[in-house]
Amino acid sequence: MKTIEEIANTRFAKDVERGLSLNPKRISSKYFYDKKGDEIFQKIMRLDDYYLTRAEFEIFLNHSSAIVDSLELKSNQIEIIELGAGDATKTLLLIKELSERGLTVIYKPIDISASVLQTTTSKISKHFPEVTVEPITASYEDALGLLQKIPSQSQKLFLFLGSNLGNLNSEEAHEFVLGIAQSMAKDDCFLIGLDKMKNPEVILRAYNDSEGVTSEFNLNLLDRMNRELGTSFDRSLFKHIATYDPGTGTAKSFLVSKKRQSVHLPWCGRDIILEKFESIHTEISQKYNEVLVEEIFAHTGLKRMKYFEDSNEYFRDYLFVKQ
Ligand code: AVJ
């Protein structure tokens, strides 16, 4: 356990204090992913209601060969850099295709979780001993800085799957894509998985599943603050609420206070009041259409080549090439 001074100096404590002082209140979804949060997210990915992971897996299962063809590889060597690699289940299908074609593959998975990376690295090495795996433990933000420093002669494929971009608003998303584009050399490729706008009921079910796992995921943020910051949030006094605006394509998650309550933040000595039905905004999960994709990738120097879609037409992986 950290001392109160150590807690006060963490990014987490500073972000929580600031976020709970705003109106409306908010805390970044990046704080969902502690050990418990990682476990709950693994469960989410297997839910019937959470279609995203299955849809993108189907794309890789059916179109890995077409994806590799579209890369228009200039040599027999390729370097894959994956942001937020996680368990790399989908990437494994792509690596299989590349490897079967006799190409030399260097795989650099980047993830915030060292333990997840360890598992992923052993899994790849076991299935494909011929592939060089160089894991990098870092957050997305730090990863972008690191990417500039990775020297390489071979053509690169950047991967950002799972509609992870959706956690950023469109301005942040544009900045993020710009950062990736700046780390790319001419002919390098970028494959990005984006969830589509679709029947709002399908989307709402994905973020408010019938088994209550997404609610657990959201409420774990309160437990995490209690564990790491010494707060005493009572999770039974909050309700998980998911919304979707079919006009903008923005899904949002909130923790709504069931009654007027006060929460003490020990590291700064402040008491935060939550009125009855006041919310803490915890996540955005943006859904995309062509117009939005064009907007985000405009003026990045990336040229859109192709997209690959699942049979339900729920999800797309877009391929871009640096010019
Ligand atoms: C990992 C950001 C893609 O927004 O769909 C799943 C996280 N949140 N259920 C998403 C999440 C609630 C997920 N991403």
Side-chain angles (χ1 to χ4, degrees), residues 33 41 44 50 52 162-164 167 207 214 217 283 285:
Y33 303 91
F41 185 60
I44 289 179
Y50 194 74
L52 289 81
S163 208
N164 280 322
N167 279 167
Y207 293 96
T214 312
F217 187 55
E283 187 177 42
S285 298

mmCIF file of all heavy atoms in Angstrom, residues 33 41 44 50 52 162-164 167 207 214 217 283 285, ligand 1:
data_model
loop_
_atom_site.group_PDB
_atom_site.id
_atom_site.type_symbol
_atom_site.label_atom_id
_atom_site.label_comp_id
_atom_site.label_asym_id
_atom_site.label_seq_id
_atom_site.Cartn_x
_atom_site.Cartn_y
_atom_site.Cartn_z
ATOM 1 N N TYR A 33 -8.774 -0.585 -16.643
ATOM 2 C CA TYR A 33 -7.949 -1.764 -16.875
ATOM 3 C C TYR A 33 -6.893 -2.030 -15.816
ATOM 4 O O TYR A 33 -5.690 -1.999 -16.089
ATOM 5 C CB TYR A 33 -7.319 -1.692 -18.277
ATOM 6 C CG TYR A 33 -8.388 -1.566 -19.350
ATOM 7 C CD1 TYR A 33 -8.832 -0.317 -19.790
ATOM 8 C CD2 TYR A 33 -9.000 -2.701 -19.882
ATOM 9 C CE1 TYR A 33 -9.838 -0.205 -20.744
ATOM 10 C CE2 TYR A 33 -10.006 -2.596 -20.834
ATOM 11 C CZ TYR A 33 -10.418 -1.345 -21.260
ATOM 12 O OH TYR A 33 -11.415 -1.236 -22.199
ATOM 13 N N PHE A 41 -12.844 -7.610 -18.730
ATOM 14 C CA PHE A 41 -12.892 -7.352 -20.178
ATOM 15 C C PHE A 41 -12.747 -8.653 -20.986
ATOM 16 O O PHE A 41 -13.384 -8.820 -22.024
ATOM 17 C CB PHE A 41 -11.853 -6.308 -20.603
ATOM 18 C CG PHE A 41 -11.973 -5.960 -22.060
ATOM 19 C CD1 PHE A 41 -13.149 -5.413 -22.559
ATOM 20 C CD2 PHE A 41 -10.935 -6.217 -22.948
ATOM 21 C CE1 PHE A 41 -13.300 -5.122 -23.913
ATOM 22 C CE2 PHE A 41 -11.073 -5.926 -24.298
ATOM 23 C CZ PHE A 41 -12.253 -5.382 -24.781
ATOM 24 N N ILE A 44 -16.117 -9.976 -21.092
ATOM 25 C CA ILE A 44 -16.951 -9.193 -22.018
ATOM 26 C C ILE A 44 -16.765 -9.704 -23.446
ATOM 27 O O ILE A 44 -17.731 -9.897 -24.185
ATOM 28 C CB ILE A 44 -16.610 -7.682 -21.943
ATOM 29 C CG1 ILE A 44 -17.113 -7.096 -20.618
ATOM 30 C CG2 ILE A 44 -17.197 -6.917 -23.125
ATOM 31 C CD1 ILE A 44 -16.812 -5.627 -20.410
ATOM 32 N N TYR A 50 -21.862 -8.944 -26.701
ATOM 33 C CA TYR A 50 -20.725 -8.125 -27.157
ATOM 34 C C TYR A 50 -20.208 -8.692 -28.480
ATOM 35 O O TYR A 50 -19.369 -9.582 -28.520
ATOM 36 C CB TYR A 50 -19.622 -8.086 -26.090
ATOM 37 C CG TYR A 50 -18.589 -7.009 -26.345
ATOM 38 C CD1 TYR A 50 -18.874 -5.663 -26.115
ATOM 39 C CD2 TYR A 50 -17.336 -7.339 -26.842
ATOM 40 C CE1 TYR A 50 -17.935 -4.679 -26.366
ATOM 41 C CE2 TYR A 50 -16.386 -6.352 -27.100
ATOM 42 C CZ TYR A 50 -16.692 -5.029 -26.858
ATOM 43 O OH TYR A 50 -15.753 -4.052 -27.117
ATOM 44 N N LEU A 52 -18.496 -7.227 -30.967
ATOM 45 C CA LEU A 52 -17.332 -6.628 -31.641
ATOM 46 C C LEU A 52 -16.179 -7.616 -31.877
ATOM 47 O O LEU A 52 -15.660 -7.720 -32.986
ATOM 48 C CB LEU A 52 -16.792 -5.428 -30.845
ATOM 49 C CG LEU A 52 -17.615 -4.145 -30.817
ATOM 50 C CD1 LEU A 52 -18.731 -4.231 -29.804
ATOM 51 C CD2 LEU A 52 -16.751 -2.929 -30.546
ATOM 52 N N GLY A 162 -9.878 -3.843 -32.616
ATOM 53 C CA GLY A 162 -10.870 -3.889 -31.548
ATOM 54 C C GLY A 162 -11.690 -2.629 -31.351
ATOM 55 O O GLY A 162 -12.380 -2.495 -30.348
ATOM 56 N N SER A 163 -11.611 -1.682 -32.293
ATOM 57 C CA SER A 163 -12.300 -0.386 -32.148
ATOM 58 C C SER A 163 -11.840 0.343 -30.891
ATOM 59 O O SER A 163 -12.608 1.088 -30.279
ATOM 60 C CB SER A 163 -13.830 -0.559 -32.141
ATOM 61 O OG SER A 163 -14.457 0.620 -32.641
ATOM 62 N N ASN A 164 -10.577 0.121 -30.532
ATOM 63 C CA ASN A 164 -10.028 0.831 -29.374
ATOM 64 C C ASN A 164 -9.975 2.337 -29.589
ATOM 65 O O ASN A 164 -10.016 3.105 -28.632
ATOM 66 C CB ASN A 164 -8.621 0.313 -29.055
ATOM 67 C CG ASN A 164 -8.670 -0.995 -28.287
ATOM 68 O OD1 ASN A 164 -9.526 -1.185 -27.429
ATOM 69 N ND2 ASN A 164 -7.774 -1.902 -28.610
ATOM 70 N N ASN A 167 -12.580 4.866 -27.918
ATOM 71 C CA ASN A 167 -12.558 5.469 -26.575
ATOM 72 C C ASN A 167 -12.122 6.934 -26.601
ATOM 73 O O ASN A 167 -12.182 7.619 -25.590
ATOM 74 C CB ASN A 167 -11.627 4.676 -25.644
ATOM 75 C CG ASN A 167 -12.287 3.436 -25.064
ATOM 76 O OD1 ASN A 167 -11.627 2.584 -24.497
ATOM 77 N ND2 ASN A 167 -13.600 3.319 -25.204
ATOM 78 N N TYR A 207 -23.417 -2.836 -24.661
ATOM 79 C CA TYR A 207 -22.889 -2.045 -23.546
ATOM 80 C C TYR A 207 -23.757 -2.117 -22.286
ATOM 81 O O TYR A 207 -23.497 -1.418 -21.308
ATOM 82 C CB TYR A 207 -22.649 -0.599 -24.013
ATOM 83 C CG TYR A 207 -21.534 -0.585 -25.020
ATOM 84 C CD1 TYR A 207 -21.805 -0.616 -26.393
ATOM 85 C CD2 TYR A 207 -20.209 -0.657 -24.605
ATOM 86 C CE1 TYR A 207 -20.780 -0.675 -27.320
ATOM 87 C CE2 TYR A 207 -19.179 -0.722 -25.513
ATOM 88 C CZ TYR A 207 -19.464 -0.728 -26.872
ATOM 89 O OH TYR A 207 -18.446 -0.808 -27.776
ATOM 90 N N THR A 214 -20.845 -6.038 -18.146
ATOM 91 C CA THR A 214 -20.416 -4.667 -18.453
ATOM 92 C C THR A 214 -20.659 -3.753 -17.261
ATOM 93 O O THR A 214 -19.863 -2.851 -16.971
ATOM 94 C CB THR A 214 -21.134 -4.133 -19.704
ATOM 95 O OG1 THR A 214 -21.046 -5.117 -20.741
ATOM 96 C CG2 THR A 214 -20.509 -2.842 -20.185
ATOM 97 N N PHE A 217 -17.866 -4.292 -14.990
ATOM 98 C CA PHE A 217 -16.684 -3.644 -15.575
ATOM 99 C C PHE A 217 -16.656 -2.166 -15.171
ATOM 100 O O PHE A 217 -15.629 -1.650 -14.728
ATOM 101 C CB PHE A 217 -16.775 -3.793 -17.090
ATOM 102 C CG PHE A 217 -15.577 -3.346 -17.876
ATOM 103 C CD1 PHE A 217 -14.314 -3.849 -17.610
ATOM 104 C CD2 PHE A 217 -15.716 -2.446 -18.925
ATOM 105 C CE1 PHE A 217 -13.220 -3.461 -18.362
ATOM 106 C CE2 PHE A 217 -14.634 -2.054 -19.680
ATOM 107 C CZ PHE A 217 -13.382 -2.555 -19.406
ATOM 108 N N GLU A 283 -17.006 6.380 -19.996
ATOM 109 C CA GLU A 283 -16.476 5.844 -21.264
ATOM 110 C C GLU A 283 -17.249 6.352 -22.465
ATOM 111 O O GLU A 283 -18.466 6.530 -22.386
ATOM 112 C CB GLU A 283 -16.548 4.305 -21.249
ATOM 113 C CG GLU A 283 -15.867 3.645 -22.446
ATOM 114 C CD GLU A 283 -15.892 2.120 -22.386
ATOM 115 O OE1 GLU A 283 -16.932 1.555 -22.010
ATOM 116 O OE2 GLU A 283 -14.867 1.505 -22.727
ATOM 117 N N SER A 285 -17.647 5.020 -26.519
ATOM 118 C CA SER A 285 -17.310 3.967 -27.485
ATOM 119 C C SER A 285 -17.908 4.414 -28.815
ATOM 120 O O SER A 285 -19.069 4.142 -29.100
ATOM 121 C CB SER A 285 -17.899 2.627 -27.063
ATOM 122 O OG SER A 285 -17.352 2.223 -25.821
HETATM 123 C C1 AVJ B 1 -11.921 -2.115 -25.724
HETATM 124 C C2 AVJ B 1 -12.573 0.148 -25.971
HETATM 125 C C3 AVJ B 1 -13.082 -1.426 -27.666
HETATM 126 O O1 AVJ B 1 -15.509 0.368 -26.108
HETATM 127 O O2 AVJ B 1 -16.215 -1.532 -26.901
HETATM 128 C C4 AVJ B 1 -16.380 -2.997 -23.701
HETATM 129 C C5 AVJ B 1 -14.328 -1.485 -24.088
HETATM 130 N N1 AVJ B 1 -16.392 -1.098 -22.716
HETATM 131 N N2 AVJ B 1 -17.518 -2.885 -22.986
HETATM 132 C C6 AVJ B 1 -15.453 -0.870 -26.232
HETATM 133 C C7 AVJ B 1 -15.666 -1.862 -23.515
HETATM 134 C C8 AVJ B 1 -17.520 -1.733 -22.387
HETATM 135 C C9 AVJ B 1 -14.272 -1.620 -25.576
HETATM 136 N N3 AVJ B 1 -12.971 -1.247 -26.218
#
